[in-house]
Amino acid sequence: MLLIASSNGDVGMDAAWEILAAGGSALDAVEAGTRLVEDNPADHSVGYGGFPNLLGEVELDASIMDGSSLRAGAVGALRGYRYAITLARRVMDELPHVMLAGEGAARFAAELGMEREDLLTEPAAQVWREGIAGRLPEQFRDAQGAVMADLLRRAAGLATDPERAAGTVNFIAQDRAGRIASAVSTSGWAWKYPGRLGDSPIIGAGNYADSRYGAAACTGWGELAMRACTARSTVLYLRQGMGVEQACRAAFADLDDLGMDPAKVIMNMVAVDAAGGFTALSTADGRSFAFRRDGMGSFDLAPRVYVAPRGL
Ligand code: ASP
C-alpha cells in the first residue's frame, strides 16, 4: 500500500491511510483525504476558504481517476459546494459524462442534496480585497476597490496569485489489491478570470492514473500542464519503461518546449509507479510532499526533487 500527497494533504493523510489499512479502495482513500483538505479554511488554495476569482467568487475545480478501469470524473468552475472531489466522483459514478462545469455542476450537486454554502471566508475575502484593491492600478478599480466589470480581461493579466507556487492538493494511492487512484482539487489560480479552468479538472493535464503503470498529479501553473498534457505524459513515459523520477523529469522537460520565460515556470508533480516507487518534483526549491507506505507508523514529509526549468 502506498499513499502520497502534496504537502497540504497532510490533514487528510491519516484518514486516507485508515481506509487503505482497512482493506478499502485507493479511490475511497484519495477522495477521503481530499475532502479534509477541502474542509480546511486555512488552506486558501482548495475548497472552503479558497481564494476567489477576479469578481470575488470562489470557483472550484477537481478530478478523480480510477486507474483500474480508467474511469474519471471532474467538475470545473463549481460555485457554492465545497466537496468538489465528491461531486467529481459522483459524475464518474452516476453520469454518462466525465466532466461538468459551472451551473451544470452546481445543479448536479443540488440534485444530489449536497449542502450549498458561501465558500468565501472573511480572511480569503480580505486578501482578495487587498490583492485587487491594493495591487491593481487605479483605473481598473471601482470605488469599492473591486475590478471594473468591463476591464476584467485586462485585469486578469495584472493580478498576481499570492499562492501561485503553492496551491491545489494532489493525492495518489495504491491499495492492497494494487489498484491506483488519483485525486486533485483546487480553487485554482487566485483572481482568475471567471470561468477559467486549470489543469486540475482536466484528465491528462493535472491528473492521470493507470494501475498498470502508475499515476501522476500536478500543482502549479495549470495552463502549462494543459498545453503539455503533463500527467498523462508522465504515465506514458512510465509505460515506455522509464523509472518514476526519470518519467517525471521527461514530462518536466516537455515544458521547456512551451516557449516560456524559465523564471516564470512553476510546476510541481507527485507520481507513483505500479511497483510502489514514488517521487515528487518541483521547479521551486525547498518544497516537500507527504508519503506513507507499509511498515511506517505515520506519514512523513520528504523534500521534492528540484528541477530547474530551462525554457527556450
Ligand atoms: N494548478 C492549479 C491551477 O492552475 C493551481 C495551483 O496548483 O496552484 O488551477
Side-chain angles (χ1 to χ4, degrees), residues 199-292:
D199 59 321
S200 308
I202 310 288
I203 294 300
N207 188 3
Y208 201 78
D210 184 329
S211 299
R212 297 169 296 178
Y213 311 111
C218 305
T219 69
W221 190 354
E223 278 73 3
L224 302 188
M226 291 160 85
R227 289 169 61 196
C229 297
T230 301
R232 169 70 168 147
S233 299
T234 304
V235 175
L236 273 180
Y237 288 131
L238 286 170
R239 182 178 179 163
Q240 287 174 353
M242 290 188 190
V244 67
E245 185 179 326
Q246 196 190 4
C248 292
R249 283 183 179 277
F252 269 50
D254 290 342
L255 303 174
D256 294 334
D257 299 333
L258 301 180
M260 307 307 297
D261 173 357
K264 292 192 178 146
V265 171
I266 298 172
M267 189 54 62
N268 310 287
M269 185 150 60
V270 295
V272 307
D273 64 32
F278 63 93
T279 191
L281 272 65
S282 178
T283 55
D285 208 1
R287 302 288 309 280
S288 60
F289 72 108
F291 73 98
R292 183 165 177 181

Side-chain angles (χ1 to χ4, degrees), residues 13-285:
M13 286 293 287
D14 291 344
W17 186 263
E18 259 178 47
I19 290 171
L20 295 177
S25 70
L27 207 51
D28 286 344
V30 296
E31 181 189 353
T34 302
R35 282 175 66 98
L36 288 164
V37 186
E38 292 173 335
D39 271 337
N40 181 8
D43 190 323
H44 295 302
S45 67
V46 181
Y48 179 71
F51 284 142
N53 64 21
L54 272 172
L55 292 173
E57 303 154 334
V58 180
E59 291 185 331
L60 304 181
D61 294 344
S63 66
I64 192 162
M65 185 154 185
D66 173 11
S68 295
S69 61
L70 303 182
R71 289 182 314 136
V75 292
L78 169 70
R79 293 190 200 163
Y81 297 88
R82 77 168 69 180
Y83 296 118
I85 199 65
T86 293
L87 196 60
R89 176 140 185 209
R90 301 288 293 264
V91 170
M92 176 174 90
D93 287 341
E94 294 179 33
L95 294 178
H97 306 308
V98 168
M99 183 188 288
L100 291 182
E103 278 175 27
R107 170 189 291 267
F108 185 49
E111 221 179 276
L112 294 172
M114 290 185 171
E115 187 192 342
R116 186 176 170 79
E117 60 185 330
D118 184 0
L119 303 177
L120 184 65
T121 58
E122 187 41 41
Q126 197 175 329
V127 180
W128 170 71
R129 277 193 297 267
E130 283 163 8
I132 297 299
R135 296 206 192 129
L136 279 184
E138 210 170 312
Q139 68 267 27
F140 289 92
R141 294 180 265 126
D142 63 20
Q144 282 73 46
V147 188
M148 284 164 66
D150 55 342
L151 292 175
L152 287 186
R153 69 183 192 286
R154 288 168 62 195
L158 297 172
T160 309
D161 182 343
E163 290 187 9
R164 210 173 128 213
T168 307
V169 66
N170 299 153
F171 269 95
I172 301 176
Q174 186 180 41
D175 62 27
R176 215 177 262 167
R179 295 171 298 194
I180 295 175
S182 53
V184 179
S185 184
T186 189
S187 49
W189 186 329
W191 331 153
K192 60 194 171 188
Y193 196 98
R196 176 262 187 188
L197 301 181
D199 59 321
S200 308
I202 310 288
I203 294 300
N207 188 3
Y208 201 78
D210 184 329
S211 299
R212 297 169 296 178
Y213 311 111
C218 305
T219 69
W221 190 354
E223 278 73 3
L224 302 188
M226 291 160 85
R227 289 169 61 196
C229 297
T230 301
R232 169 70 168 147
S233 299
T234 304
V235 175
L236 273 180
Y237 288 131
L238 286 170
R239 182 178 179 163
Q240 287 174 353
M242 290 188 190
V244 67
E245 185 179 326
Q246 196 190 4
C248 292
R249 283 183 179 277
F252 269 50
D254 290 342
L255 303 174
D256 294 334
D257 299 333
L258 301 180
M260 307 307 297
D261 173 357
K264 292 192 178 146
V265 171
I266 298 172
M267 189 54 62
N268 310 287
M269 185 150 60
V270 295
V272 307
D273 64 32
F278 63 93
T279 191
L281 272 65
S282 178
T283 55
D285 208 1

